[in-house]
Amino acid sequence: MTNRLLPITKGYNFRDLGGYQTTSGKKVKWRRLLRSGKLADLDSQDLMILTDFNLVADIDLRSPAEVKTDPDHYPSQTKYYFNPIFDTDKTRSSKGLAGYGPKADVEPNVGYHHMKNVYHEMITFPSGQAAFKKLFEIALSLNDDESLIFHCTAGKDRTGVSAALLLATLGVPKATIQADYLLSNQTTKTIIDKMVQQIKASGRNDFFLQNFRAVAGVNLDYLNEAFNTIDNQFGGLEEFLTTTLGLSRTDLQDFRVKFTQ
């Protein structure tokens, strides 16, 4: 994981999708497709790192309220794209468990079921479908020496599904996609552990703590919910990309040529 992580100091979960082997024997190109958490706190040193990647597109998957609260910092040559998957932060990455009310203290699986539903809605909501299509279109517009970054707040759910769709389209095996997705549990561990200690110190019960962990981390059940929805409701990935998102077969072929070698 070390060479996959970007040395960003004022942000977290900044990773390169390059180097993954595809089923056709090729590899995803390095320094082209980057994923991350929010860019709001980046300093000048961080921006220099992204400049060195020739970052030309910053694709922000967050809701309007998240963007207003924590606007992105990005290099001067980078074009910003507001590309929300939802109109509100359904993943609650910016709010923790706020808004659940007393349920989080008495129902142990409210967080788990909420997140599964969120992943289902990412695939079925028109806003999510439009955001995924735009992500592919921006990627297709890149020159061979340019890179993009796509992100949400924590860089794990909306970003995680986006990364999984890109990698699956490139022909990366399911097990590899799942491993990349689960890396978020490592890259956010320090932050989550700190918040867990704060929750324990506040006296919240074990149900609340279980629900917090379900929302704060990633779980293969969540990602599987997204892909099962693609298979069961949209006829599989290829059909989802073409019929639902409106990408052409040529688009998909061009995407694979552009980002694998």
Side-chain angles (χ1 to χ4, degrees):
M1 183 176 69
T2 303
N3 64 347
R4 190 164 300 288
L5 289 176
L6 276 61
I8 299 295
T9 58
K10 300 298 182 181
Y12 55 91
N13 217 356
F14 280 71
R15 298 166 17 212
D16 192 329
L17 290 180
Y20 287 131
Q21 191 91 29
T22 72
T23 54
S24 66
K26 295 185 176 182
K27 287 187 177 180
V28 179
K29 291 180 180 178
W30 287 99
R31 301 174 65 88
R32 303 297 310 283
L33 301 171
L34 311 178
R35 56 172 292 178
S36 76
K38 65 180 183 178
L39 278 61
D41 302 318
L42 301 187
D43 61 18
S44 58
Q45 182 178 344
D46 294 331
L47 294 178
M48 285 293 293
I49 292 170
L50 296 180
T51 298
D52 184 55
F53 273 75
N54 196 19
L55 186 75
V56 300
D58 166 19
I59 304 168
D60 192 341
L61 305 173
R62 298 176 299 165
S63 67
E66 293 170 277
V67 172
K68 183 177 180 180
T69 301
D70 289 311
D72 279 1
H73 292 168
Y74 47 88
S76 58
Q77 87 278 5
T78 303
K79 183 176 180 180
Y80 175 80
Y81 294 89
F82 175 57
N83 191 35
I85 286 180
F86 296 123
D87 59 1
T88 61
D89 179 16
K90 287 179 173 286
T91 63
R92 302 186 186 273
S93 293
S94 61
K95 300 178 182 178
L97 287 170
Y100 282 123
K103 281 188 176 182
D105 291 303
V106 297
E107 297 181 20
N109 293 314
V110 63
Y112 170 83
H113 290 301
H114 170 77
M115 293 306 294
K116 283 192 68 174
N117 187 58
V118 165
Y119 277 63
H120 178 84
E121 291 178 345
M122 277 194 238
I123 301 301
T124 59
F125 276 24
S127 58
Q129 294 167 4
F132 295 136
K133 180 180 181 180
K134 187 172 180 179
L135 173 59
F136 275 95
E137 289 176 340
I138 296 168
L140 284 165
S141 74
L142 264 58
N143 293 322
D144 290 342
D145 62 342
E146 296 173 336
S147 70
L148 63 77
I149 193 166
F150 57 97
H151 75 93
C152 50
T153 292
K156 65 183 184 70
D157 300 307
R158 289 164 288 186
T159 301
V161 171
S162 298
L165 286 174
L166 294 177
L167 292 175
T169 303
L170 292 174
V172 174
K174 179 179 179 180
T176 305
I177 293 170
Q178 291 177 334
D180 179 81
Y181 170 77
L182 290 174
L183 281 178
S184 285
N185 282 335
Q186 297 181 44
T187 56
T188 61
K189 185 178 185 301
T190 300
I191 297 169
I192 292 175
D193 286 349
K194 181 179 179 180
M195 295 178 74
V196 165
Q197 292 306 314
Q198 292 172 347
I199 290 170
K200 288 181 177 178
S202 72
R204 302 303 290 262
N205 65 23
D206 288 343
F207 283 163
F208 186 91
L209 193 60
Q210 180 176 332
N211 285 317
F212 170 77
R213 288 188 181 279
V215 172
V218 294
N219 184 323
L220 282 184
D221 288 354
Y222 307 161
L223 186 63
N224 288 337
E225 178 68 27
F227 277 93
N228 288 341
T229 301
I230 288 173
D231 289 341
N232 296 332
Q233 291 189 219
F234 297 97
L237 180 63
E238 196 87 0
E239 282 300 309
F240 177 72
L241 295 171
T242 54
T243 303
T244 303
L245 299 193
L247 299 168
S248 69
R249 305 282 177 182
T250 301
D251 288 335
L252 300 184
Q253 181 59 29
D254 289 347
F255 178 73
R256 291 165 185 140
V257 170
K258 186 179 287 286
F259 293 102
T260 61
Q261 61 186 8

